[in-house]
């Protein structure tokens, strides 16, 4: 029998906050957690994508089972990194041959500029950006290395390795594993809905004079802004991960005063980058002094009041999958007008057809298929929200997997 959602959430939150602090200032002593709390620590580390980092950052071993799990996750991440690097090499070669300009995004870019070494940071998939006019050419190019498009959502197309005979219904491993399929998300724009209005920074990310094959981000600022926008989009759905904050912090530590000035002063005013405050406030909470005070001050003046208040008060646990139940309208603080609030509430109550496509995509994920919630009608979902507040299935999948597969002590 599962522990209560309240007990699970307390365990996830305690581990989340401890790990966020450990990645900044590692302590010499292990936490005095119970066996159940160590299980929730394992689940939290997987949910936040930071187990490989913990394997080399923590200065205490913890229980033997925890240490073995962390080291194995680092090994699996390193093996998987090799597979991803091989796929990236194929893409770069084919794109160069075909005169196709591509930007490898986020995790691939962070590794390319040395923010992470192999085995430190997991990569769930490969994100690529091409010009809209090159989308079909890029899809055809991916087909030549064995990838086929399986879904199309508003942000990007999703490509998966073509498999003869369909996918076997095998259980997913807990955390990273070298054999996990490598998906590719093909973007023609870099944009997020916060929560409805689209914020598009494509012109900052795609180079002005691209060359065939892989192109880097035009600047450190462009990469940082993309990480901030991606984190903001996840925060508006209470789906942030500690890995997202760590990406931002590591890159921010490399920024020069001139680069920070450029971030606020070129192409737009701080008002146009109001969305950057929320993730930066969280970074500042866990790493005070890392970010320039003038940058935070400028963004605080530009940020809408409700979001500014949330940014100052919320912690990572509340903005992440460690929070087992989310409000019915988590994006309300991100709405900047009364009309946007009304449209947002209406869309949450009566989702659009586009939203239904995204829901179907989520329901097809292996972690979602066993759960009735993912296949309920909207009316039944509303009733459950009103009277039962169901737990988040993505979080509970990992929690159940950890509880059902305890590590030997």
């Amino acid at each position: 029998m599962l522990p209560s959602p309240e007990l699970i959430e307390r365990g996830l939150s305690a581990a989340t906050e401890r790990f966020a602090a450990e990645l900044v200032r590692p302590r010499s002593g292990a936490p005095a957690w119970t066996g159940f709390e160590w299980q929730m620590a394992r689940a939290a580390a997987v949910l936040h994508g930071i187990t490989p980092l913990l394997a080399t950052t923590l200065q205490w071993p913890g229980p033997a089972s925890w240490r073995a799990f962390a080291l194995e996750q680092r090994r699996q991440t390193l093996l998987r990194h090799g597979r991803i690097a091989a796929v990236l090499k194929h893409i770069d070669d084919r794109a160069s041959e075909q005169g196709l300009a591509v930007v490898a995004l986020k995790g691939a870019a962070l590794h390319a500029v040395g923010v992470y070494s192999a085995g430190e940071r997991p990569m769930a998939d490969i994100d690529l950006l091409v010009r809209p006019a090159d989308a079909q050419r890029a899809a055809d190019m991916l087909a030549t290395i064995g990838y086929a498009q399986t879904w199309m959502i508003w942000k990007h197309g999703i490509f998966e390795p073509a498999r003869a005979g369909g996918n076997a219904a095998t259980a997913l491993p807990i955390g990273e594993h070298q054999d996990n399929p490598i998906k590719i998300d093909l973007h023609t724009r870099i944009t997020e809905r916060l929560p409805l209005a689209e914020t598009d920074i494509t012109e900052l990310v795609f180079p002005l004079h691209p060359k065939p094959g892989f192109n880097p981000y035009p600047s450190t600022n462009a990469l940082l802004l993309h990480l901030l926008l991606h984190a903001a989009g996840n925060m508006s759905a209470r789906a942030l991960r500690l890995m997202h904050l760590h990406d931002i912090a590591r890159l921010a530590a490399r920024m020069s005063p001139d680069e920070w000035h450029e971030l606020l002063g070129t192409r737009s005013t701080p008002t146009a980058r109001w969305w950057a405050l929320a993730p930066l406030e969280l970074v500042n909470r866990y790493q005070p002094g890392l970010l320039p005070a003038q940058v935070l001050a400028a963004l605080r003046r530009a940020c809408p009041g409700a979001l500014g208040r949330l940014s100052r008060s919320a912690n990572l646990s509340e903005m992440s999958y460690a929070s087992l139940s989310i409000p019915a309208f988590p994006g309300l603080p991100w709405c900047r007008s009364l009309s946007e609030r009304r449209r947002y509430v209406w869309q949450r109550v009566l989702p659009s057809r586009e939203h239904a496509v995204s829901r179907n995509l989520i329901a097809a994920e292996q972690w979602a298929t066993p759960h009735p919630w993912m296949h309920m009608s909207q009316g039944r979902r509303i009733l459950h929200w009103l009277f039962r507040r169901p737990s988040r299935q993505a979080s509970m999948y990992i929690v159940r997997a950890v509880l059902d597969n305890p590590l030997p002590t």
Side-chain angles (χ1 to χ4, degrees), residues 189-207:
R189 297 186 303 149
I190 302 301
T191 183
E192 293 285 348
R193 290 176 178 170
L194 302 171
L196 296 180
E198 290 191 13
T199 297
D200 191 315
I201 61 168
T202 309
E203 67 168 6
L204 300 177
V205 173
F206 202 85

Side-chain angles (χ1 to χ4, degrees), residues 73-90:
Q73 282 291 282
R74 182 169 176 81
R75 188 180 79 88
Q76 291 293 338
T77 302
L78 182 59
L79 292 171
R80 182 171 166 81
H81 179 87
R83 289 184 57 214
I84 291 173
V87 174
L88 288 168
K89 179 67 165 57
H90 283 313

